[in-house]
Amino acid sequence: MAKLAFPKRFIESVLTSSMFQKVALGLFFFIALTAMIFFSAIPPKYDVRIGEVLQENIIAKKDTINSIETTKLRQAAADAVPKKYTLNQTVTAEVKNQTDNIFNYIKEIRNKDFLTDEEKIKSLREEISTEISDESYNKLVAISDTSLKELETIVKAVIEEVMEEGVKEDSLERTKKYVIDEFKDLKLPAEYKNIGEEIALFTIKPNMIYDREATEEQQREAMEAVAPVKVVANQVLIEKGTVITKEHKEMLKELGLLVGEPWADLGLIAGACIISALLTGMLGYSIYTFHKNVYANNVYLALFVTIILATLVISVGIKPISKYLVPLAAGSMLISILINPNIAILSSFAMSAVCGIMFENDFSFILVALAGALAGVFCSTKVSLRSDLTKAGVIISTINVLSITGLLLLNNSSTFLEVARQSAWGLVNGILSSILAIGMLPFLETAFGITSAIKLLELSNPNQPLLRKLMLDAPGTYHHSVIVGNLAEAGAEAVGADALLARVGADYHDIGKLKRPYFFIENQFMSDNPHDKLTPALSALIITSHVKDGIESADKYHLPSCIKDFIQQHHGTTLLSFFYNKALEENGDNKDKKVDKEIYRYEGPRPQKKEVAIVMLADCVEAAVRSMPNPTPGKIEGLIRQIIKDKLSDGQLDECDLTLKDLDKIAIAFSKVLTGIFHTRIEYPEKLRELQGKDLE
């Protein structure tokens, strides 16, 4: 059992760890965001087979590139590029030299008179080539020198012309035909034409060398010049009734539209993960760096994640109606009111980016959504009534209409009717955002235990049941709480604390006195003090119990935890010095009976926040100044500073983050308020007093 208990305790400690909860919340946010981005980006899949007749139009859901068709067009452009050749002058020179050698040898053999014609022909055949016919050799031996010279000139001219123009390997036969045609057109005897033709055809060689690099370079240029075949959103890729071919199926596979191709979605999953990781990291790091108080509070983080995800889910649901109806401003306003306006601005950018990605990467929508969301943040930074959210909705509508109109007018293809229709959706967007914010605010406040400024203002209403009961059953305490509230509000404003929270906390800090109101001096009107008949210890118990009684009343009336902090901490662990000293006096010289000092202290805890500490000081200052005879501004300020000094030396301010500079500002603020309340009154003349008395009658 002991072995099992240890891992169980370890697991429980891990699960309850604040850091573990933050990591779990971050992972949940990342996974949810990834899922939304992925499923909004994944296109519909089609199950098609080659040879089947398509039963519906296949339509592209987003802009993309048809790479298969693009490849075909680029290959066709490459094939259309003619091969590039380089003229090899060396081959040309070799052909010319060979021609010269042939005629020189013919002349040499002709001059050997000691040889017979048959021997001359044999020698020519052996030296020159067997490709030239014996008949031609006979005529070359028998031809006159003049005719031979003329024939030589013509053959060389034809060969030079052909070789200078260039002879390709694959066009050699065409070149030979050209040579034959050239000789046919010459004004020579037929037998001479045949001889020249045979010599020319024998000597001509290809002198155009294929240049592979130049050809491939031009092919690359031709392929790059072909623009990619774009597929735009809502374009019909394959029309209904088309017989599916292999090319159709390959195109659908390439575009990721074919059923049974899970690998096609890997890119979408990777992209969604990357975007989600970037946004999650950016939001988390920003909150950690600039808003430590929010980062430390897992409830705030959970609320933050809930609002963003809920806003995005609502946006996806509303998008089919119109993308300009998506109420991102509602989420921004809720984050601004319940958490922090600066975090709401950052969230507005993140939510706009995510929606823009989910809505076919529409940049114009991102701008419109961001403008509306930021307007919602700016309009909700100082919300005091729920009606202020209605006003915010009107402003958001105006911003939406202006931004939509401006962007659509920049698009020359948008008609006036289209601009008016889309702007109307933007108008409705602002109203819808306001309705959603107003409707979701109380549910989120209750679910996460968050108290907004609107909730605090509602609690400060004198018609609240608990405040009304305090006003009727303990009017002295109520009046005291009102003055403490004024002091706390002034002090909080002086040091940059939450003035509204301080004032409302002061209104409720003494509600525990409702259980026994006449045991507290401010409610004893012309009556005996019941503490005169009680022991100091019992009196101290009754006085200190108003903290516990206040917590019970707060639970009964469902007051938020931030107000309970004022009830529980506004006395800290202060000593009830009056009853403690009274106990010491009654004890006298009895050394055997010691007075336990802890009995005469409040249980605490000490104030944890600036606002609670300010209410503690205001509570003590108000009671002390009220009992001061003949108060003057100087006496009031001196007493205030003495009380603050006593609280500081007693350690009551050790656990809040008030600085000495803050305490000085608080003392000045308290002094101004109390000097105005306890100002010196002039003496009325006797006559005026009589008139005043008659008026009162």
Side-chain angles (χ1 to χ4, degrees):
M1 292 295 293
K3 292 182 178 179
L4 291 174
F6 173 74
K8 183 178 180 181
R9 288 197 303 271
F10 175 75
I11 293 172
E12 288 177 353
S13 65
V14 170
L15 293 177
T16 55
S17 167
S18 177
M19 181 53 67
F20 174 81
Q21 293 173 356
K22 286 181 175 62
V23 172
L25 192 62
L27 284 175
F28 170 73
F29 182 71
F30 166 75
I31 293 170
L33 205 59
T34 300
M36 280 194 284
I37 293 175
F38 171 71
F39 286 111
S40 64
I42 189 170
K45 306 287 186 176
Y46 298 91
D47 186 11
V48 297
R49 291 177 175 82
I50 297 174
E52 287 185 348
V53 177
L54 191 63
Q55 300 300 315
E56 60 177 328
N57 287 337
I58 295 181
I59 301 174
K61 295 300 181 182
K62 61 180 180 180
D63 293 351
T64 185
I65 301 295
N66 188 339
S67 60
I68 292 179
E69 191 63 29
T70 302
T71 302
K72 287 182 179 179
L73 291 177
R74 288 178 174 173
Q75 188 59 49
D79 293 341
V81 173
K83 293 181 179 180
K84 298 298 175 183
Y85 291 87
T86 303
L87 183 63
N88 192 331
Q89 295 293 349
T90 302
V91 175
T92 303
E94 289 177 356
V95 171
K96 289 181 179 180
N97 290 335
Q98 185 181 13
T99 306
D100 288 339
N101 292 336
I102 289 172
F103 278 99
N104 289 335
Y105 191 72
I106 292 172
K107 293 175 184 177
E108 181 182 342
I109 293 297
R110 279 167 53 85
N111 292 329
K112 292 181 178 182
D113 296 334
F114 58 87
L115 295 176
T116 63
D117 289 346
E118 288 76 9
E119 290 176 339
K120 291 180 180 179
I121 293 171
K122 181 181 178 183
S123 180
L124 289 173
R125 185 185 300 111
E126 291 175 353
E127 183 65 24
I128 298 175
S129 174
T130 58
E131 294 182 13
I132 298 176
S133 65
D134 290 342
E135 182 181 356
S136 296
Y137 282 132
N138 284 328
K139 291 178 180 179
L140 285 172
V141 171
I143 194 173
S144 65
D145 291 339
T146 304
S147 298
L148 180 61
K149 183 66 176 177
E150 183 180 1
L151 179 62
E152 180 183 0
T153 303
I154 292 172
V155 170
K156 286 183 176 180
V158 171
I159 290 175
E160 183 176 0
E161 178 186 357
V162 170
M163 295 302 292
E164 289 297 332
E165 288 183 2
V167 180
K168 299 177 184 176
E169 184 74 36
D170 55 0
S171 62
L172 182 59
E173 295 301 322
R174 187 168 59 253
T175 303
K176 289 182 176 181
K177 185 177 182 302
Y178 171 77
V179 170
I180 294 171
D181 292 339
E182 282 291 308
F183 275 99
K184 284 181 179 179
D185 294 336
L186 293 175
K187 295 180 179 180
L188 286 173
E191 61 271 18
Y192 293 167
K193 290 182 181 180
N194 293 336
I195 296 170
E197 184 180 299
E198 287 188 18
I199 294 173
L201 294 178
F202 165 69
T203 55
I204 289 174
K205 297 178 181 178
N207 65 343
M208 295 293 289
I209 307 303
Y210 175 57
D211 191 339
R212 181 181 297 275
E213 290 185 3
T215 304
E216 290 178 351
E217 178 63 26
Q218 288 207 354
Q219 286 177 336
R220 281 194 296 271
E221 292 176 359
M223 292 174 70
E224 291 173 0
V226 176
V229 178
K230 294 183 178 180
V231 177
V232 299
N234 300 319
Q235 175 183 335
V236 177
L237 296 174
I238 309 175
E239 293 183 353
K240 178 181 178 181
T242 303
V243 177
I244 300 298
T245 63
K246 183 180 179 181
E247 287 73 18
H248 289 144
K249 196 166 183 178
E250 285 294 325
M251 179 182 68
L252 295 179
K253 181 180 179 180
E254 178 68 23
L255 298 177
L257 302 178
L258 200 61
V259 171
E261 294 290 337
W263 300 108
D265 297 329
L266 285 180
L268 294 178
I269 295 174
C273 288
I274 291 171
I275 296 299
S276 298
L278 286 174
L279 291 175
T280 303
M282 179 187 68
L283 292 172
Y285 183 77
S286 299
I287 293 173
Y288 170 77
T289 305
F290 302 109
H291 303 281
K292 298 281 189 183
N293 60 325
V294 176
Y295 178 79
N297 192 326
N298 288 347
V299 174
Y300 276 137
L301 295 178
L303 176 61
F304 175 73
V305 168
T306 301
I307 292 175
I308 289 182
L309 294 181
T311 304
L312 293 176
V313 169
I314 293 172
S315 300
V316 172
I318 290 179
K319 186 253 180 181
I321 301 174
S322 173
K323 61 184 178 182
Y324 293 124
L325 188 59
V326 171
L328 289 188
S332 298
M333 286 192 289
L334 288 171
I335 294 174
S336 176
I337 295 169
L338 295 173
I339 302 177
N340 184 284
N342 292 327
I343 294 177
I345 291 175
L346 184 65
S347 304
S348 299
F349 281 94
M351 289 190 293
S352 300
V354 172
C355 282
I357 293 170
M358 292 194 298
F359 300 167
E360 291 85 38
N361 298 319
D362 190 341
F363 180 73
S364 63
F365 166 76
I366 294 177
L367 291 179
V368 173
L370 181 60
L374 292 178
V377 175
F378 299 145
C379 293
S380 58
T381 51
K382 292 185 178 180
V383 174
S384 57
L385 298 171
R386 296 192 189 274
S387 59
D388 290 340
L389 291 176
T390 305
K391 298 175 185 176
V394 175
I395 296 174
I396 294 168
S397 295
T398 304
I399 296 296
N400 285 342
V401 169
L402 292 175
S403 57
I404 292 171
T405 302
L407 287 171
L408 291 180
L409 288 178
L410 286 174
N411 184 0
N412 292 327
S413 61
S414 298
T415 63
F416 175 78
L417 184 62
E418 177 67 10
V419 171
R421 186 171 67 86
Q422 298 296 352
S423 297
W425 287 121
L427 181 68
V428 177
N429 181 331
I431 300 171
L432 178 62
S433 297
S434 175
I435 293 172
L436 286 174
I438 294 172
M440 293 176 67
L441 187 59
F443 292 103
L444 293 174
E445 287 177 334
T446 303
F448 291 90
I450 304 295
T451 306
S452 66
I454 296 175
K455 181 67 175 178
L456 289 175
L457 286 167
E458 291 176 349
L459 289 173
S460 68
N461 190 335
N463 290 320
Q464 286 285 338
L466 199 52
L467 289 183
R468 188 167 183 80
K469 185 176 178 63
L470 185 66
M471 183 169 52
L472 296 176
D473 295 349
T477 299
Y478 177 79
H479 182 262
H480 160 74
S481 298
V482 171
I483 297 177
V484 171
N486 291 336
L487 288 169
E489 186 175 28
E493 287 178 349
V495 298
D498 191 336
L500 178 59
L501 176 62
R503 179 161 66 84
V504 178
D507 289 343
Y508 288 89
H509 79 286
D510 270 344
I511 58 170
K513 295 180 179 179
L514 276 170
K515 192 169 185 178
R516 305 177 189 87
Y518 295 105
F519 280 88
F520 298 91
I521 189 67
E522 68 266 22
N523 297 313
Q524 296 169 3
F525 304 109
M526 305 300 291
S527 61
D528 296 333
N529 190 340
H531 291 286
D532 294 338
K533 302 175 183 179
L534 301 175
T535 64
L538 183 58
S539 294
L541 179 62
I542 293 172
I543 295 297
T544 56
S545 65
H546 85 274
V547 173
K548 180 181 177 182
D549 296 335
I551 294 297
E552 291 177 356
S553 296
D555 290 336
K556 180 180 178 181
Y557 285 87
H558 306 293
L559 294 182
S561 59
C562 62
I563 301 300
K564 292 179 185 178
D565 290 341
F566 287 90
I567 299 170
Q568 189 175 32
Q569 301 170 18
H570 76 277
H571 282 298
T573 57
T574 303
L575 176 69
L576 291 168
S577 57
F578 176 81
F579 293 111
Y580 175 68
N581 292 329
K582 185 178 179 181
L584 291 176
E585 290 175 3
E586 290 181 357
N587 193 32
D589 297 332
N590 188 356
K591 296 182 180 179
D592 295 333
K593 185 180 179 182
K594 293 184 178 181
V595 178
D596 186 0
K597 198 172 185 178
E598 295 304 315
I599 295 176
Y600 296 92
R601 282 190 180 275
Y602 286 93
E603 292 183 4
R606 296 167 182 172
Q608 306 295 305
K609 297 179 181 177
K610 284 183 178 182
E611 293 81 6
V612 180
I614 292 170
V615 169
M616 168 191 270
L617 297 175
D619 186 29
C620 297
V621 164
E622 192 278 334
V625 173
R626 180 159 36 87
S627 61
M628 177 186 289
N630 301 319
T632 63
K635 289 182 179 180
I636 290 173
E637 184 171 353
L639 181 59
I640 291 170
R641 293 188 179 277
Q642 183 60 46
I643 290 172
I644 293 175
K645 182 180 178 182
D646 291 343
K647 292 295 181 185
L648 188 62
S649 61
D650 191 33
Q652 300 303 317
L653 305 178
D654 289 353
E655 297 177 19
C656 67
D657 53 354
L658 285 175
T659 64
L660 293 175
K661 188 175 182 180
D662 289 338
L663 294 175
D664 182 64
K665 292 179 180 179
I666 291 169
I668 295 172
F670 283 0
S671 180
K672 288 181 180 179
V673 174
L674 291 173
T675 300
I677 295 174
F678 297 102
H679 61 276
T680 304
R681 297 183 180 274
I682 62 172
E683 291 289 337
Y684 283 97
E686 194 66 31
K687 193 68 177 176
L688 290 176
R689 288 185 180 179
E690 292 178 5
L691 291 173
Q692 186 184 28
K694 289 180 181 180
D695 290 339
L696 293 173
E697 292 174 0

